[in-house]
Amino acid sequence: EVQLQASGGGLVQAGGSLRLSCAASGFSFDDYSIGWFRQAPGKEREGVVCFNSRYSLTNYGDSVKGRFTISSDNAKNMFYLQMNNLKPEDTAVYYCGAELVCSSSWHFRSWGQGTLVTVSS
């Protein structure tokens, strides 16, 4: 069973940085794409990043390009989201997820409990 658990959220000032972690189990990073999406209160889900290691494909959402970076530690079954130059509009619940392939729909078939990131102005 695919399981994912995001952690590391908190309160950070605008311009600051934060690293989120995702503990994953039940799948190989070579078989599934991994990534992050977020949802702010009252807004629809927004794709943040999707990464497929088999095809060396990384797609970032337009709003986070140049600021956020995904990385992974396969030995630990962990992946991360390094968030730099955070903006108040980045405030959201962040979820890590898995999908067979990255797609323009930003669909993730599996995800876990999210972690709240609050960016103060």
Side-chain angles (χ1 to χ4, degrees), residues 33-109:
S33 299
I34 55 174
W36 297 84
F37 64 92
R38 65 189 184 184
Q39 188 166 27
K43 296 185 178 180
E44 64 185 19
R45 297 199 318 172
E46 180 183 18
V48 174
V49 61
C50 186
F51 171 67
N52 183 284
S53 63
R54 177 176 293 183
Y55 300 105
S56 299
L57 175 67
T58 308
N59 292 327
Y60 290 95
D62 289 342
S63 64
V64 306
K65 287 180 180 177
R67 299 189 298 120
F68 291 10
T69 304
I70 190 171
S71 62
S72 64
D73 186 338
N74 291 12
K76 296 181 178 180
N77 295 316
M78 300 282 292
F79 62 98
Y80 311 93
L81 183 68
Q82 179 65 45
M83 305 184 293
N84 296 328
N85 192 24
L86 283 160
K87 303 175 181 180
E89 52 263 43
D90 293 319
T91 295
V93 177
Y94 284 71
Y95 301 84
C96 53
E99 179 56 274
L100 290 178
V101 295
C102 298
S103 71
S104 60
S105 69
W106 291 100
H107 177 261
F108 293 94
R109 66 177 60 200

Side-chain angles (χ1 to χ4, degrees), residues 1-20:
E1 181 180 357
V2 174
Q3 294 183 321
L4 305 102
Q5 178 62 56
S7 62
L11 176 65
V12 63
Q13 293 181 329
S17 298
L18 199 64
R19 190 179 79 158
L20 306 183

